[in-house]
Amino acid sequence: MSEVAWKPEQNTGLALAWTAGTLTSMLMMGISGRELSAELQPHHSAFYRNAICLLILLPVVLRFGVQRFRTQHLKRHVARNTVHFFAQWCWLFGLSALPLAEVFAIEFSVPIWVALFATVFLGERLTGWRALAIGLGFAGILVILRPGMDIVHPAALMVLLAAVGYASAYVFTKNLVGVDDALTVVWWMNVVQLPIGLTLSATDLVFPSPPLIPWMIVIGVCGFTSHFCLSQALRHADATIIAQLDFLRLPLAAIIAWFAYNEAVDMFLAIGAAFILLGNWINLKKGT
């Protein structure tokens, strides 16, 4: 199924439910990525995530065949998911070395990068409000990283690179969800990324110890549900509504990090995150 023959009517309540699934999945992916980093390299975690996602889709394949996921946009899927894989690798690397809240705070610069890339590469108009949003986003990043005041942690730069990669993947496939259904998008994500992860893991692939196997399953299941729930949410409400709800992910990550890992939020992280969130809010409300 490559072209969507119908467009679901707008249903904010249903979109909120799907968005709650996305938020839960992303937070659980962060926790599982952190736990798995005790034994696995980022490409190992990515490989197991993609393999489990494909196993979840196996009943659909057995029922309808691989042709169920036929697409007219293969090049776009390959480009999106190649970039997405390496962004994911950088994100997983950051989870192994940084406080959880800091990883999510830097990742929240994705909409700022999207606004910048859309202006430069897609020719979208740079309004005063959008310029202010981009400026606040970059100010927030500088406050969190504090270049010149402190040594910038390499893992923080990797998470920043992940944010740029996620934004690039978004720009490349801005309208993909409008032409391929949610299962097709998730299918091609894993079909493209699994061989990349296997290639990188060919010489050193390890299986996690028994205590970490549940977390391996969690990262795979949530890798599927995060993208599926987001695709479904975007079909039932405008992206601006979904994006505003996504703001909850940052404070929730900080609360989880405090309870689970005893990680406190310092002043610079709080101020920088506030700048980034304000920039995102301005971009959503005034940027167009």
Side-chain angles (χ1 to χ4, degrees):
M1 183 182 295
S2 57
E3 297 294 331
V4 177
W6 55 278
K7 180 178 177 59
E9 62 182 56
Q10 300 291 282
N11 186 325
T12 303
L14 195 55
L16 293 177
W18 284 115
T19 304
T22 303
L23 292 176
T24 303
S25 298
M26 291 300 297
L27 289 168
M28 290 305 298
M29 280 184 61
I31 296 171
S32 57
R34 163 68 65 82
E35 295 295 326
L36 289 171
S37 68
E39 295 181 6
L40 302 183
Q41 297 297 316
H43 47 280
H44 300 151
S45 297
F47 169 75
Y48 288 124
R49 171 194 168 178
N50 296 133
I52 292 171
C53 283
L54 286 176
L55 286 176
I56 294 172
L57 286 168
L58 185 59
V60 181
V61 175
L62 295 176
R63 174 66 177 84
F64 299 102
V66 177
Q67 62 270 18
R68 162 66 178 75
F69 306 108
R70 187 173 299 160
T71 180
Q72 301 298 319
H73 309 279
L74 182 58
K75 290 182 179 179
R76 199 187 305 179
H77 282 285
V78 171
R80 170 191 185 267
N81 292 304
T82 300
V83 172
H84 185 272
F85 178 90
F86 289 103
Q88 177 186 236
W89 188 96
C90 293
W91 184 73
L92 289 167
F93 181 87
L95 284 171
S96 69
L98 296 176
L100 197 64
E102 183 173 346
V103 172
F104 279 98
I106 298 173
E107 184 194 352
F108 258 85
S109 67
V110 168
I112 302 299
W113 292 105
V114 170
L116 179 63
F117 292 164
T119 299
V120 175
F121 298 111
L122 300 181
E124 294 188 5
R125 188 165 60 97
L126 180 62
T127 64
W129 286 111
R130 177 170 285 185
L132 176 61
I134 293 172
L136 284 169
F138 284 127
I141 293 170
L142 290 175
V143 170
I144 293 173
L145 299 183
R146 302 190 296 281
M149 292 180 59
D150 206 348
I151 297 176
V152 178
H153 198 297
L157 296 178
M158 295 297 283
V159 177
L160 184 60
L161 186 60
V164 175
Y166 286 143
S168 301
Y170 181 87
V171 172
F172 290 156
T173 60
K174 190 174 181 180
N175 299 315
L176 192 59
V177 72
V179 293
D180 283 336
D181 66 19
L183 283 178
T184 300
V185 172
V186 175
W187 167 262
W188 284 107
M189 179 186 74
N190 293 289
V191 166
V192 172
Q193 293 187 16
L194 185 67
I196 300 175
L198 181 59
T199 300
L200 294 176
S201 304
T203 59
D204 64 348
L205 184 62
V206 295
F207 198 77
S209 61
L212 290 183
I213 291 176
W215 290 115
M216 182 185 73
I217 296 172
V218 168
I219 201 171
V221 172
C222 290
F224 172 84
T225 56
S226 62
H227 285 265
F228 183 81
C229 290
L230 178 60
S231 297
Q232 292 295 86
L234 288 170
R235 289 177 179 274
H236 294 286
D238 292 338
T240 53
I241 296 176
I242 306 305
Q244 290 180 69
L245 292 171
D246 192 45
F247 288 171
L248 293 172
R249 186 153 46 100
L250 184 52
L252 288 173
I255 293 171
I256 291 172
W258 182 46
F259 277 104
Y261 301 109
N262 198 29
E263 295 176 354
V265 175
D266 64 27
M267 179 183 67
F268 290 103
L269 177 57
I271 294 173
F275 280 173
I276 292 172
L277 291 178
L278 179 59
N280 286 342
W281 184 85
I282 290 173
N283 189 48
L284 286 171
K285 292 291 187 179
K286 305 289 188 177
T288 55

